[in-house]
Amino acid sequence: MTRSDLVEALASRFSQLTHRDAEFAVKAILDAMGDALVKGHRIEIRGFGSFSVNRRSPRIGRNPRSGESVMIPEKRVPHFKPGKALREQVDAKTAEILGREPKNTA
C-alpha cells in the first residue's frame, strides 16, 4: 500500500472527508511520526506495533567494486516491531488464503 492508496482508503471510508482533507491527515500523521523518531522517541500504536530508532555501530565494510576497505559511520535507523494482534491477524488471513489452519501461538 502506498501513501496515495492510504489517502484513497481514508477518503472512501469516511465520506465526510474530502480527498484533500484525507491527504492532509495522512501527511500530518506521518510527519508527526517522523519528527518523533528523529527526536529519538518511541511510537507505540496498540494492536498495530511500535516504531523505534536503533543504533548501528560504526564498522569496516568493503567496496564491492575495488575490494578496498571502507569505514562505515554509525547510523540511527528506524525499526518497526509488529504487535501481537497484527501478527495474529496477518497469520490468520494468510492461512485463510492458503487454505490451511493458522498456527497456535499458545
Side-chain angles (χ1 to χ4, degrees):
M1 174 177 260
T2 64
R3 184 181 191 144
S4 58
D5 292 339
L6 187 57
V7 169
E8 286 297 326
L10 191 61
S12 65
R13 190 169 190 177
F14 299 100
S15 58
Q16 68 272 24
L17 281 179
T18 65
H19 188 274
R20 175 179 247 154
D21 290 341
E23 192 172 346
F24 180 76
V26 169
K27 182 178 180 347
I29 289 169
L30 294 177
D31 287 347
M33 290 174 72
D35 291 344
L37 290 173
V38 165
K39 293 176 183 173
H41 297 294
R42 183 172 183 271
I43 301 167
E44 184 175 328
I45 303 170
R46 302 259 180 209
F48 183 72
S50 61
F51 298 86
S52 59
V53 177
N54 286 351
R55 178 185 165 272
R56 286 193 187 159
S57 301
R59 61 190 172 92
I60 297 176
R62 187 179 66 83
N63 182 333
R65 188 172 285 180
S66 66
E68 167 185 350
S69 292
V70 178
M71 186 63 190
I72 300 173
E74 176 180 342
K75 292 182 181 182
R76 292 177 47 189
V77 293
H79 174 74
F80 174 70
K81 181 178 178 188
K84 182 179 178 184
L86 179 62
R87 286 193 318 266
E88 289 174 351
Q89 183 180 6
V90 168
D91 186 44
K93 192 67 172 174
T94 303
E96 180 183 310
I97 291 169
L98 297 176
R100 63 173 171 77
E101 290 293 317
K103 294 179 184 175
N104 283 340
T105 57

